[in-house]
């Protein structure tokens, strides 16, 4: 009987991981030179969101002194490639996380919260 809650947690973890694998990431996509509200302060009501291609695993927010703020889809490691340039760059891997308004909780924190909720109901 003691292993049943553990088994349910394992099933929940697999389901959450599966959802992330099959879902498409959505990111805000804009250039502050073209779209009012894309820079700082950011206005999500004026900026379109885009479904990223499957090869793009992260949302990106970049600030380039000559081009302003850019937001969109990107590949893991993009900011590492740009670290020696004059660009400020941030990536994140949650839905619409490149707004720059708040930092989203990590997947580990969300999973821990689900597990705690599950055991508090048992």
């Amino acid at each position: 009987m003691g292993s049943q809650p553990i088994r349910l947690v394992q099933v929940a973890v697999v389901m959450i991981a599966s959802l992330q694998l099959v879902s498409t990431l959505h990111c805000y996509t804009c250039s502050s030179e073209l779209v009012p509200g894309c820079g700082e302060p950011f206005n999500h009501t004026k900026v379109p969101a885009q479904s990223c291609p499957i090869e793009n695993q992260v949302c990106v927010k970049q600030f380039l002194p000559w081009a302003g703020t850019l937001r969109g889809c990107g590949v893991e490691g993009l900011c590492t490639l740009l670290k020696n340039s004059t660009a400020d760059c941030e990536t994140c891997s949650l839905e619409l996380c490149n707004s720059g308004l708040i930092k989203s909780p990590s997947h580990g924190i969300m999973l821990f919260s689900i597990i705690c909720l599950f055991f508090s109901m048992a």
Side-chain angles (χ1 to χ4, degrees), residues 1 4 14 21 32 34 36 39 41 47-48 56 61 73 79 81-82 88 94-96 118 120 122:
M1 290 251 181
Q4 186 177 10
V14 169
L21 290 175
S32 62
L34 301 174
V47 176
N56 294 140
K61 176 186 168 191
C73 304
C79 289
L81 294 172
L82 296 174
D88 289 327
L94 298 175
E95 288 292 301
L96 302 175
F118 174 80
S120 69

Side-chain angles (χ1 to χ4, degrees), residues 1-85:
M1 290 251 181
S3 66
Q4 186 177 10
I6 293 171
R7 185 73 175 151
L8 289 173
V9 170
Q10 290 172 337
V11 169
V13 168
V14 169
M15 288 175 59
I16 291 169
S18 297
L19 285 175
Q20 178 140 14
L21 290 175
V22 297
S23 66
T24 302
L25 183 65
H26 295 85
C27 302
Y28 291 110
T29 305
C30 62
S31 165
S32 62
E33 289 192 343
L34 301 174
V35 179
C38 181
E40 300 298 338
F42 180 69
N43 184 344
H44 74 278
T45 63
K46 297 189 181 280
V47 176
Q50 170 186 343
S51 295
C52 299
I54 195 73
E55 63 272 6
N56 294 140
Q57 312 96 356
V58 296
C59 296
V60 180
K61 176 186 168 191
Q62 297 178 58
F63 176 77
L64 305 164
W66 61 90
T69 301
L70 304 171
R71 300 173 197 267
C73 304
V75 294
E76 193 70 46
L78 175 66
C79 289
T80 304
L81 294 172
L82 296 174
K83 74 179 180 182
N84 293 328
S85 72

